[in-house]
Amino acid sequence: MSAGGKGGGGQRLHTSGNQPTASGTKPASGRTGGAGRNRPGGKPAAPASAREVALDILVRVEQQGAYSNLLLGSTLQKADLSREDTGLATELVYGTLSRMITLDYVLSSFVSKGMAKLQPWVRSLLRLSLYQIMYLDRVPSHAAVNEAVNISKRRGHQGISGMVNGVLRSVLRAGDLPVLPEGLSREERISILHSHPLWMVQRWSAEYGPDTAEAMCAANNEPPAVSVRVNTTMISREAMLAELLEAGLDAAESKVSPAGLVIRGGGNLALTSWYRDGYLSVQDESSMLVAEVVAPEAGMKVLDCCAAPGGKSAHMGELMKDEGSILANDLHEHKAGLIAEQAARLGLECITTASGDALELGAALQPESYDRILLDAPCSGLGVIRRKPDLKWRKQPEDIASVAALQLELLQSVSGLLKPGGVLVYSTCTTEQAENSRVVAAFLERNPGFAQVSFKSAVWERLEGTALAAGDGMQLLPHHYGSDGFYIARLERLL
């Protein structure tokens, strides 16, 4: 089994110095001008509506296994949508995917032949229409029904449009939904009401208790806030906040990270001059904690084993004031290139990129040569469901056991590269203790020369009382701060 950025497939390690390139190209996102579809005969068709764009994405996610976040970004780049319609399409895609169990549960009472027998586009159309009726107060129900009927007329025939109209109008007459039968277990009710697979709810209920499991599921269905990390080698957080407020943005200091700011309703911050000129990076608040726990100091030698897309490497470089060296490794060469671009945009010259299997780093690099090592390990990703709702439907319980074995192998492999007295940080963006505390406990049992020091960190002092002490590390859950679920353990190699 192999590991690099966040996946498998082995190759030899290649390193290259980071040569700063043009400062920051704009990520492809948001409105960029229209690619109009053509009718037969060459006549341009009317631009697709937000609902049609969302419908096409939902069908491809279900039928082709496309990743919603990637497909949404590429589709919106080509669609000629206003800012408001871009926001609506985004809401419809993520909201419909997030609430799919609830939507299907309700629709199953009104679709006589069953949801499974519908054409995929009809099934997705009913879902996104019901999502608007049940969850979007700003969209009038009659407008959602009328648009669904119009779409079904354009894409299907009169029988389909009649069925869509009948189902949705029956829903409107039914009153408050869903109506749950008596006799369901607590976990079954949570699964239906908060639209999470039953196995996931049962797992979290056993791990954290049913109340916390329900809070996690509810939090996963809330839209994520936009958070940015301030590049303190260029500007202080206070000065950056003042600039954002002066520009009319709703911004505030993060309660989680001293490097973070939270912005609401600010659009895509990666398209701003602040991003382009290296003053800030878009990063989740929980993710910002990892570099702080590593606590690298100026002049240190640091290894980031699975570094893409490079946010944590860059944050460590900022904390080191760009003094010292960071080797940022990822399995894939093109992802290592993205890390180099990030470093260049932020003006960080201390970062060198490498491309190779993280399992081979122990053999490729000099033993006991690093002051700090970060292993942000490949994981199930169940802490980021809020941002990637289709993860709920892709993952299975057996995936967790499989990745946990890889995580322990990785931790064991890179640990020999740490100097005596050095610090190794293990982190994941998941809530599963099989991948978190149990991996770290197994490692410490095999390696008496290491000791956990997670709870002596400044991060624990700040978050104690909210974050959980999970074994030898700290666990943030999605409902704690409205950020991603993250696990972080700090291990010290004894002298």
Side-chain angles (χ1 to χ4, degrees):
M1 210 169 203
S2 58
K6 296 290 179 281
Q11 59 185 14
R12 287 194 301 274
L13 179 72
H14 301 283
T15 63
S16 60
N18 171 39
Q19 300 298 323
T21 56
S23 83
T25 56
K26 291 184 179 181
S29 178
R31 181 180 178 181
T32 60
R37 296 175 299 171
N38 287 337
R39 290 192 179 99
K43 294 181 179 180
S49 68
R51 292 174 177 86
E52 287 177 301
V53 168
L55 176 59
D56 289 337
I57 293 171
L58 290 170
V59 171
R60 289 184 61 187
V61 169
E62 182 182 31
Q63 295 300 112
Q64 302 174 15
Y67 290 95
S68 60
N69 59 323
L70 301 178
L71 183 57
L72 182 65
S74 62
T75 301
L76 291 178
Q77 182 183 1
K78 300 171 186 174
D80 188 17
L81 297 179
S82 66
R83 179 173 177 175
E84 292 75 15
D85 278 351
T86 295
L88 177 58
T90 302
E91 171 71 26
L92 291 178
V93 170
Y94 286 145
T96 301
L97 288 171
S98 292
R99 301 284 186 174
M100 198 141 60
I101 284 180
T102 313
L103 299 174
D104 284 2
Y105 180 85
V106 171
L107 287 168
S108 65
S109 298
F110 299 95
V111 178
S112 58
K113 65 179 182 179
M115 292 289 286
K117 294 183 179 180
L118 295 176
Q119 294 181 54
W121 72 267
V122 178
R123 185 165 53 244
S124 291
L125 178 60
L126 286 173
R127 286 170 175 162
L128 75 85
S129 302
L130 180 58
Y131 175 75
Q132 295 168 80
I133 292 169
M134 290 182 65
Y135 298 105
L136 293 188
D137 292 337
R138 69 180 182 273
V139 177
S141 295
H142 66 84
V145 174
N146 290 340
E147 182 64 16
V149 171
N150 290 334
I151 291 173
S152 62
K153 285 179 179 177
R154 289 194 292 271
R155 298 196 177 205
H157 52 71
Q158 189 172 359
I160 291 177
S161 64
M163 184 273 294
V164 168
N165 184 51
V167 167
L168 295 178
R169 294 198 181 279
S170 295
V171 166
L172 294 181
R173 291 191 295 268
D176 292 337
L177 296 168
V179 178
L180 302 187
E182 297 293 331
L184 294 180
S185 68
R186 175 80 184 276
E187 288 79 8
E188 288 171 327
R189 295 180 68 86
I190 293 171
S191 174
I192 296 171
L193 288 175
H194 298 290
S195 196
H196 280 64
L198 181 58
W199 72 263
M200 203 175 284
V201 178
Q202 291 171 332
R203 190 179 187 97
W204 292 344
S205 184
E207 189 75 57
Y208 300 109
D211 290 343
T212 296
E214 184 162 16
M216 292 168 67
C217 292
N220 283 341
N221 289 330
E222 294 297 321
V226 174
S227 54
V228 297
R229 185 189 77 248
V230 178
N231 182 358
T232 53
T233 68
M234 292 187 175
I235 190 172
S236 69
R237 181 167 78 161
E238 293 73 22
M240 187 73 254
L241 176 60
E243 286 198 23
L244 294 170
L245 293 173
E246 187 177 352
L249 295 180
D250 181 4
E253 292 183 349
S254 167
K255 297 178 181 179
V256 181
S257 168
L261 296 171
V262 179
I263 298 100
R264 300 196 179 276
N268 188 348
L269 273 295
L271 298 178
T272 64
S273 60
W274 296 307
Y275 180 92
R276 187 169 57 251
D277 295 339
Y279 289 96
L280 54 79
S281 298
V282 179
Q283 187 179 13
D284 182 77
E285 294 173 272
S286 294
S287 178
M288 295 179 206
L289 297 174
V290 176
E292 187 184 355
V293 173
V294 175
E297 299 174 9
M300 282 187 169
K301 187 177 180 182
V302 179
L303 172 63
D304 189 349
C305 303
C306 306
K312 298 178 186 69
S313 291
H315 192 188
M316 289 189 291
E318 292 162 5
L319 292 174
M320 294 164 65
K321 306 300 183 187
D322 202 26
E323 297 176 14
S325 66
I326 299 173
L327 177 60
N329 175 73
D330 193 82
L331 176 65
H332 304 286
E333 285 191 56
H334 72 281
K335 291 186 177 181
L338 294 176
I339 299 169
E341 289 177 11
Q342 282 272 43
R345 179 181 65 82
L346 297 166
L348 298 171
E349 298 181 353
C350 66
I351 296 175
T352 298
T353 59
S355 173
D357 188 336
L359 284 172
E360 298 176 2
L361 291 174
L365 302 174
Q366 183 179 350
E368 300 185 4
S369 59
Y370 287 90
D371 301 290
R372 297 285 188 271
I373 295 176
L374 170 59
L375 175 58
D376 186 46
C379 69
S380 63
L382 297 187
V384 299
I385 287 174
R386 188 200 312 264
R387 300 181 188 280
K388 301 177 181 180
D390 38 325
L391 270 176
K392 289 190 286 191
W393 321 123
R394 295 179 188 276
K395 296 297 181 181
Q396 297 298 327
E398 55 268 25
D399 297 334
I400 295 168
S402 174
V403 76
L406 171 61
Q407 291 161 343
L408 181 57
E409 190 179 1
L410 278 167
L411 193 50
Q412 188 66 51
S413 174
V414 302
S415 63
L417 298 172
L418 188 67
K419 292 178 180 179
V423 169
L424 189 162
V425 170
Y426 174 82
S427 64
T428 73
C429 58
T430 190
T431 55
E432 306 311 295
Q433 295 312 310
E435 303 176 60
N436 295 341
S437 60
R438 291 201 276 279
V439 169
V440 173
F443 172 79
L444 290 173
E445 186 176 351
R446 295 183 188 181
N447 296 271
F450 281 79
Q452 74 84 7
V453 288
S454 302
F455 307 115
K456 297 179 182 178
S457 67
V459 170
W460 180 250
E461 291 177 7
R462 187 167 66 252
L463 303 184
E464 184 180 6
T466 301
L468 304 178
D472 298 301
M474 48 191 129
Q475 177 74 61
L476 269 74
L477 299 176
H479 64 289
H480 284 158
Y481 294 97
S483 58
D484 292 345
F486 242 90
Y487 177 83
I488 309 171
R490 192 172 200 257
L491 310 175
E492 183 176 349
R493 185 165 188 174
L494 303 177
L495 296 174

